[in-house]
Amino acid sequence: MKKLQITALLAVMAFSSFYAGVLPADNTSVVKTVADAIKWNSESIDVGKIPQGKPKIIRFEFTNTSSKPIIIENVAPSCGCTTADYTKEPILPGKKGFVEASYNAAAVGPFMKTVNVTTSDSKTPKTLSFKGVVAS
């Protein structure tokens, strides 16, 4: 039994030095690295009270923190009451881009809307949101 324990201990010690160079030393994950390719100034904006009948433009700005250009491939508002505009050219590393949502403030009352943004960096859309209250 003692031989088995010593063999197991030697095996653990032998492989621990092998895996020490393979596994990350800190808690940084690959998912976090990909997610950090775009740094949004804000992913949710509260516009407060806005007047009825006057469209409200909400601007989301971001910085490309990756080492390669990023292209916004698709911007999809959650409803027909919102239209979107965005940076059309590739956003170079370290440069800024934007997504704008124009909300048609036709109905009085509180609202919360989203815009899904798909980029060349990630095929999983990023959801940006904005909320407020339309006052008459």
Side-chain angles (χ1 to χ4, degrees), residues 80-134:
C81 60
T82 305
T83 59
D85 191 19
Y86 55 92
T87 305
K88 305 290 192 291
E89 64 274 351
I91 299 96
L92 300 175
K95 299 298 179 183
K96 295 185 180 292
F98 72 89
V99 171
E100 281 184 349
S102 178
Y103 175 64
N104 179 6
V108 173
F111 64 89
M112 183 175 155
K113 303 297 176 186
T114 61
V115 178
N116 289 320
V117 181
T118 307
T119 66
S120 58
D121 180 63
S122 172
K123 301 305 176 199
T124 303
K126 178 65 161 177
T127 301
L128 306 173
S129 64
F130 60 96
K131 67 180 181 174
V133 178
V134 176

Side-chain angles (χ1 to χ4, degrees), residues 19-101:
Y19 286 114
V22 176
L23 299 175
D26 59 7
N27 289 331
T28 304
S29 69
V30 174
V31 174
K32 182 173 176 16
T33 303
V34 170
D36 288 344
I38 291 178
K39 174 72 173 137
W40 294 92
N41 290 359
S42 178
E43 296 177 21
S44 180
I45 297 174
D46 186 345
V47 298
K49 279 188 173 182
I50 60 173
Q52 182 181 17
K54 184 176 180 189
K56 175 69 177 175
I57 296 176
I58 299 92
R59 186 175 177 99
F60 297 92
E61 295 182 337
F62 65 90
T63 303
N64 177 356
T65 58
S66 75
S67 60
K68 61 184 180 182
I70 292 177
I71 298 168
I72 297 176
E73 295 179 344
N74 189 37
V75 176
S78 60
C79 71
C81 60
T82 305
T83 59
D85 191 19
Y86 55 92
T87 305
K88 305 290 192 291
E89 64 274 351
I91 299 96
L92 300 175
K95 299 298 179 183
K96 295 185 180 292
F98 72 89
V99 171
E100 281 184 349

